[in-house]
Amino acid sequence: MATTLPARYAVFGHPIGHSLSPTIHRLFGGQCGIKLQYSAIDVPPESFADAVHRFLAEAHGANVSLPHKAAAFALADERSIAASRTGSANVLTRRPDGRLAAHNTDGAGLVRDLTTRQHCMLAGRRVLLLGAGGAARGIAWDLLDAGVAELTIANRTADTASALAAALGVSRARARRWNELAGLGSFDLIVHATSAGVLGQALQLPHSLVDPQTIGYDLSYGPGARGFLDWARAAGVAAACDGLGMLVEQAADAFALWHGQRPQADPVYAQLRAP
Ligand code: NDP
């Protein structure tokens, strides 16, 4: 008697052993009554394209993590608007005709976590984005779409921040040098999108960026977020949170895209947050 094997999915990264994505997708699958296999695949950049093509020849979809998001975008046959405007993809889906479709759910995941879970309204707010790498690019358009009044981008390498502000192409988005941070006043929301924390490097940030209403948000989670969150609390933020909620929300969007059913993110977030 023929048996139907569960559909296969995976997250590709390097390193990827720490990834919570297999757990999140298995929990979503359990909620929705969908059987799936979801693994974590560690490949270095030079092997990524071959490995992902081999995997998706038989599997339905893949998530893509550091450092492969730009490569995932480049190898796709078709690209969503969210992927095209950021030049990177965290979701690859195999179409029935074998073509690979690229999408990016990072920005939507951040905005949903901020607005629904952290109760941080974005319209009309002054936002500081620290960093201009892949993750910052992935969220900048969504912050503007959410109606922020001002998106100030500061990056260690000033040219990268300028290039991102220019690509965003609106006067609400502007680049500032890292050494100008002390003169910028305070912000309603500070989004930390550098990899300094996960690399174990300390950031020097002035407390003048914070006032009693400021919310501090680190895209990283776990030990990688500790340095920024400690700084934010010491500076006197109203609230400080890490990127675990964004991780769960971007995964929920990928799950909905692949399975046509939106899982409930809150119970999975609560389970991952539990000590
Ligand atoms: P990239 O490697 O693309 O970019 C790294 C960024 O960090 C650059 O702007 C770089 O600046 C900056 N940076 C690195 N070290 C320092 C330092 N010591 N001081 C100041 N700036 C520094 O990484 P990503 O943008 O893809 O990822 C950034 C973070 O976001 C990671 O920690 C990642 O885990 C997290 N993330 C979380 C997600 C979630 O779902 N919660 C989703 C995606 C990412 P420069 O240009 O000068 O090198």
Side-chain angles (χ1 to χ4, degrees):
M1 192 171 69
T3 53
T4 312
L5 290 173
R8 289 173 62 208
Y9 300 86
V11 58
F12 285 78
H14 185 63
I16 198 63
H18 63 285
S19 176
L20 293 174
S21 292
T23 304
I24 294 171
H25 279 267
R26 276 196 290 268
L27 290 170
F28 285 161
Q31 251 184 35
C32 298
I34 293 171
K35 280 194 181 145
L36 54 90
Q37 277 181 9
Y38 192 113
S39 49
I41 300 178
D42 191 331
V43 281
E46 61 275 16
S47 314
F48 172 71
D50 279 352
V52 87
H53 276 300
R54 259 199 320 275
F55 180 77
L56 287 174
E58 294 179 350
H60 290 226
N63 283 125
V64 182
S65 185
L66 275 174
H68 303 311
K69 290 183 183 183
F73 176 81
L75 65 72
D77 302 302
E78 52 191 80
R79 302 166 177 106
S80 69
I81 292 171
S84 296
R85 64 189 185 174
T86 62
S88 72
N90 68 335
V91 185
L92 288 172
T93 306
R94 178 170 54 79
R95 300 272 186 236
D97 64 2
R99 289 167 64 81
L100 298 187
H103 185 41
N104 195 315
T105 62
D106 281 341
L110 169 73
V111 168
R112 195 164 338 102
D113 185 46
L114 276 169
T115 54
T116 63
R117 193 169 290 113
Q118 315 301 341
H119 309 294
C120 171
M121 292 307 121
L122 292 167
R125 299 300 171 97
R126 294 184 72 225
V127 179
L128 174 62
L129 177 57
L130 296 170
R137 278 201 307 280
I139 62 176
W141 274 266
D142 294 81
L143 289 169
L144 290 173
D145 286 351
V148 304
E150 217 178 87
L151 182 66
T152 300
I153 305 158
N155 191 48
R156 181 178 60 179
T157 306
D159 287 352
T160 321
S162 301
L164 176 54
L168 291 164
V170 289
S171 57
R172 286 184 292 149
R174 58 181 194 163
R176 290 291 179 265
R177 292 179 175 278
W178 202 269
N179 61 13
E180 291 177 316
L181 286 174
L184 296 181
S186 63
F187 290 84
D188 301 313
L189 170 67
I190 302 174
V191 179
H192 179 227
T194 87
S195 52
V198 295
L199 298 174
Q201 297 166 1
L203 277 186
Q204 301 299 326
L205 296 169
H207 282 195
S208 56
L209 295 171
V210 167
D211 64 42
Q213 278 74 49
T214 303
I215 291 176
Y217 191 103
D218 196 323
L219 259 50
S220 305
Y221 44 88
R226 205 165 290 147
F228 174 78
L229 296 181
D230 285 350
W231 168 83
R233 290 184 184 117
V237 293
C241 45
D242 67 15
L244 185 65
M246 171 181 169
L247 182 78
V248 175
E249 296 296 342
Q250 61 79 27
D253 281 357
F255 189 95
L257 185 75
W258 289 335
H259 305 287
Q261 276 189 64
R262 174 158 286 280
Q264 288 182 8
D266 281 346
V268 172
Y269 174 77
Q271 189 165 338
L272 295 176
R273 191 57 95 189

Tab-separated table of all heavy atoms in Angstrom, residues 20-34 36 38 248 255 263-265 267-273:
chain	number	residue	atom	x	y	z
A	20	LEU	N	15.774	28.166	15.545
A	20	LEU	CA	14.494	27.736	16.131
A	20	LEU	C	13.470	27.423	15.037
A	20	LEU	O	12.359	26.984	15.349
A	20	LEU	CB	13.941	28.849	17.032
A	20	LEU	CG	14.751	29.154	18.297
A	20	LEU	CD1	14.179	30.377	19.011
A	20	LEU	CD2	14.730	27.946	19.237
A	21	SER	N	13.810	27.648	13.775
A	21	SER	CA	12.820	27.486	12.702
A	21	SER	C	12.242	26.073	12.622
A	21	SER	O	11.020	25.928	12.446
A	21	SER	CB	13.428	27.883	11.351
A	21	SER	OG	13.676	29.263	11.340
A	22	PRO	N	13.050	24.985	12.756
A	22	PRO	CA	12.436	23.650	12.711
A	22	PRO	C	11.376	23.465	13.798
A	22	PRO	O	10.291	22.941	13.541
A	22	PRO	CB	13.642	22.710	12.918
A	22	PRO	CG	14.811	23.486	12.398
A	22	PRO	CD	14.519	24.914	12.784
A	23	THR	N	11.667	23.942	15.007
A	23	THR	CA	10.700	23.821	16.111
A	23	THR	C	9.441	24.620	15.796
A	23	THR	O	8.314	24.141	15.968
A	23	THR	CB	11.335	24.359	17.415
A	23	THR	OG1	12.542	23.648	17.634
A	23	THR	CG2	10.406	24.192	18.596
A	24	ILE	N	9.616	25.863	15.316
A	24	ILE	CA	8.458	26.724	15.036
A	24	ILE	C	7.560	26.090	13.977
A	24	ILE	O	6.336	26.004	14.137
A	24	ILE	CB	8.930	28.132	14.592
A	24	ILE	CG1	9.654	28.847	15.746
A	24	ILE	CG2	7.768	28.971	14.098
A	24	ILE	CD1	10.356	30.147	15.341
A	25	HIS	N	8.157	25.611	12.884
A	25	HIS	CA	7.328	25.043	11.809
A	25	HIS	C	6.666	23.735	12.230
A	25	HIS	O	5.529	23.458	11.836
A	25	HIS	CB	8.159	24.883	10.530
A	25	HIS	CG	8.287	26.177	9.779
A	25	HIS	ND1	7.432	26.553	8.769
A	25	HIS	CD2	9.140	27.220	9.950
A	25	HIS	CE1	7.763	27.757	8.325
A	25	HIS	NE2	8.805	28.186	9.020
A	26	ARG	N	7.359	22.936	13.057
A	26	ARG	CA	6.721	21.698	13.539
A	26	ARG	C	5.532	22.040	14.444
A	26	ARG	O	4.479	21.403	14.368
A	26	ARG	CB	7.737	20.826	14.282
A	26	ARG	CG	8.560	19.949	13.314
A	26	ARG	CD	9.259	18.826	14.034
A	26	ARG	NE	10.339	19.314	14.885
A	26	ARG	CZ	11.616	19.427	14.501
A	26	ARG	NH1	11.967	19.075	13.269
A	26	ARG	NH2	12.532	19.868	15.324
A	27	LEU	N	5.684	23.066	15.295
A	27	LEU	CA	4.568	23.465	16.169
A	27	LEU	C	3.402	24.011	15.337
A	27	LEU	O	2.239	23.694	15.600
A	27	LEU	CB	5.043	24.514	17.189
A	27	LEU	CG	5.991	23.984	18.272
A	27	LEU	CD1	6.585	25.151	19.082
A	27	LEU	CD2	5.263	23.032	19.216
A	28	PHE	N	3.691	24.815	14.318
A	28	PHE	CA	2.632	25.306	13.430
A	28	PHE	C	1.933	24.125	12.746
A	28	PHE	O	0.708	24.094	12.627
A	28	PHE	CB	3.210	26.231	12.346
A	28	PHE	CG	3.602	27.610	12.816
A	28	PHE	CD1	4.471	28.391	12.063
A	28	PHE	CD2	3.098	28.145	13.998
A	28	PHE	CE1	4.828	29.671	12.456
A	28	PHE	CE2	3.464	29.432	14.409
A	28	PHE	CZ	4.320	30.196	13.635
A	29	GLY	N	2.740	23.171	12.262
A	29	GLY	CA	2.170	22.003	11.578
A	29	GLY	C	1.236	21.230	12.508
A	29	GLY	O	0.138	20.828	12.106
A	30	GLY	N	1.661	21.054	13.762
A	30	GLY	CA	0.833	20.351	14.745
A	30	GLY	C	-0.494	21.073	14.958
A	30	GLY	O	-1.561	20.458	14.976
A	31	GLN	N	-0.422	22.407	15.079
A	31	GLN	CA	-1.639	23.223	15.255
A	31	GLN	C	-2.613	23.053	14.105
A	31	GLN	O	-3.817	22.982	14.294
A	31	GLN	CB	-1.212	24.702	15.192
A	31	GLN	CG	-1.239	25.484	16.431
A	31	GLN	CD	-0.876	26.944	16.068
A	31	GLN	OE1	-1.215	27.487	15.003
A	31	GLN	NE2	-0.176	27.562	16.973
A	32	CYS	N	-2.087	23.009	12.882
A	32	CYS	CA	-2.933	23.020	11.675
A	32	CYS	C	-3.208	21.611	11.156
A	32	CYS	O	-3.843	21.452	10.100
A	32	CYS	CB	-2.272	23.845	10.564
A	32	CYS	SG	-2.055	25.578	11.005
A	33	GLY	N	-2.705	20.599	11.854
A	33	GLY	CA	-2.928	19.221	11.405
A	33	GLY	C	-2.208	18.913	10.095
A	33	GLY	O	-2.702	18.150	9.267
A	34	ILE	N	-1.041	19.537	9.901
A	34	ILE	CA	-0.282	19.316	8.662
A	34	ILE	C	1.008	18.579	9.013
A	34	ILE	O	1.794	19.047	9.840
A	34	ILE	CB	0.044	20.658	7.976
A	34	ILE	CG1	-1.247	21.302	7.480
A	34	ILE	CG2	1.036	20.468	6.834
A	34	ILE	CD1	-1.076	22.726	6.989
A	36	LEU	N	4.667	17.548	8.346
A	36	LEU	CA	5.774	18.039	7.534
A	36	LEU	C	7.099	17.634	8.168
A	36	LEU	O	7.161	17.369	9.368
A	36	LEU	CB	5.697	19.566	7.388
A	36	LEU	CG	5.616	20.407	8.673
A	36	LEU	CD1	7.011	20.773	9.157
A	36	LEU	CD2	4.838	21.699	8.394
A	38	TYR	N	10.871	19.157	8.640
A	38	TYR	CA	11.551	20.454	8.535
A	38	TYR	C	12.911	20.308	9.202
A	38	TYR	O	12.998	20.028	10.398
A	38	TYR	CB	10.721	21.549	9.218
A	38	TYR	CG	11.201	22.958	8.914
A	38	TYR	CD1	10.425	23.832	8.178
A	38	TYR	CD2	12.448	23.405	9.362
A	38	TYR	CE1	10.872	25.130	7.900
A	38	TYR	CE2	12.895	24.679	9.089
A	38	TYR	CZ	12.100	25.534	8.360
A	38	TYR	OH	12.550	26.804	8.079
A	248	VAL	N	9.058	34.451	14.962
A	248	VAL	CA	7.849	33.623	14.898
A	248	VAL	C	6.902	34.171	13.824
A	248	VAL	O	6.309	33.408	13.056
A	248	VAL	CB	7.158	33.564	16.278
A	248	VAL	CG1	5.845	32.809	16.196
A	248	VAL	CG2	8.071	32.908	17.314
A	255	PHE	N	4.821	29.941	6.523
A	255	PHE	CA	3.941	28.775	6.679
A	255	PHE	C	2.628	29.004	5.907
A	255	PHE	O	2.150	28.121	5.194
A	255	PHE	CB	3.662	28.543	8.173
A	255	PHE	CG	2.942	27.264	8.474
A	255	PHE	CD1	3.642	26.115	8.836
A	255	PHE	CD2	1.557	27.193	8.389
A	255	PHE	CE1	2.969	24.930	9.113
A	255	PHE	CE2	0.882	26.020	8.660
A	255	PHE	CZ	1.586	24.885	9.031
A	263	PRO	N	-1.148	29.918	10.726
A	263	PRO	CA	-1.091	29.362	12.079
A	263	PRO	C	-1.226	30.471	13.120
A	263	PRO	O	-1.056	31.648	12.803
A	263	PRO	CB	0.308	28.753	12.134
A	263	PRO	CG	1.109	29.622	11.220
A	263	PRO	CD	0.181	30.092	10.122
A	264	GLN	N	-1.518	30.083	14.341
A	264	GLN	CA	-1.559	31.062	15.432
A	264	GLN	C	-0.140	31.224	15.979
A	264	GLN	O	0.447	30.254	16.478
A	264	GLN	CB	-2.477	30.569	16.534
A	264	GLN	CG	-3.929	30.646	16.131
A	264	GLN	CD	-4.833	30.207	17.257
A	264	GLN	OE1	-4.385	29.981	18.374
A	264	GLN	NE2	-6.095	30.080	16.949
A	265	ALA	N	0.368	32.446	15.880
A	265	ALA	CA	1.748	32.686	16.311
A	265	ALA	C	1.864	32.781	17.835
A	265	ALA	O	2.884	32.385	18.407
A	265	ALA	CB	2.269	33.966	15.656
A	267	PRO	N	0.584	31.227	20.615
A	267	PRO	CA	0.921	30.069	21.463
A	267	PRO	C	2.350	29.576	21.238
A	267	PRO	O	3.020	29.134	22.173
A	267	PRO	CB	-0.089	28.992	21.047
A	267	PRO	CG	-1.129	29.678	20.250
A	267	PRO	CD	-0.561	30.964	19.747
A	268	VAL	N	2.822	29.681	20.003
A	268	VAL	CA	4.189	29.230	19.704
A	268	VAL	C	5.202	30.198	20.328
A	268	VAL	O	6.199	29.792	20.936
A	268	VAL	CB	4.389	29.107	18.171
A	268	VAL	CG1	5.835	28.834	17.826
A	268	VAL	CG2	3.469	28.015	17.625
A	269	TYR	N	4.895	31.492	20.216
A	269	TYR	CA	5.759	32.501	20.854
A	269	TYR	C	5.820	32.236	22.366
A	269	TYR	O	6.896	32.235	22.964
A	269	TYR	CB	5.192	33.898	20.564
A	269	TYR	CG	5.915	35.015	21.275
A	269	TYR	CD1	7.146	35.469	20.818
A	269	TYR	CD2	5.372	35.607	22.410
A	269	TYR	CE1	7.814	36.486	21.472
A	269	TYR	CE2	6.037	36.630	23.069
A	269	TYR	CZ	7.260	37.066	22.592
A	269	TYR	OH	7.917	38.073	23.246
A	270	ALA	N	4.668	31.998	22.983
A	270	ALA	CA	4.627	31.780	24.441
A	270	ALA	C	5.430	30.532	24.817
A	270	ALA	O	6.162	30.531	25.818
A	270	ALA	CB	3.177	31.650	24.898
A	271	GLN	N	5.313	29.504	23.998
A	271	GLN	CA	6.040	28.256	24.303
A	271	GLN	C	7.558	28.467	24.208
A	271	GLN	O	8.317	27.981	25.037
A	271	GLN	CB	5.585	27.166	23.325
A	271	GLN	CG	6.104	25.801	23.669
A	271	GLN	CD	5.372	24.701	22.918
A	271	GLN	OE1	4.233	24.895	22.456
A	271	GLN	NE2	6.023	23.550	22.778
A	272	LEU	N	7.998	29.231	23.203
A	272	LEU	CA	9.441	29.481	23.045
A	272	LEU	C	9.952	30.425	24.133
A	272	LEU	O	11.118	30.349	24.538
A	272	LEU	CB	9.738	30.095	21.679
A	272	LEU	CG	9.443	29.210	20.474
A	272	LEU	CD1	9.701	29.970	19.189
A	272	LEU	CD2	10.298	27.946	20.516
A	273	ARG	N	9.092	31.306	24.595
A	273	ARG	CA	9.482	32.290	25.603
A	273	ARG	C	9.539	31.668	26.997
A	273	ARG	O	10.252	32.155	27.866
A	273	ARG	CB	8.452	33.425	25.558
A	273	ARG	CG	8.772	34.665	26.305
A	273	ARG	CD	10.068	35.314	25.912
A	273	ARG	NE	9.964	36.356	24.925
A	273	ARG	CZ	11.027	36.913	24.332
A	273	ARG	NH1	12.248	36.493	24.594
A	273	ARG	NH2	10.883	37.851	23.444
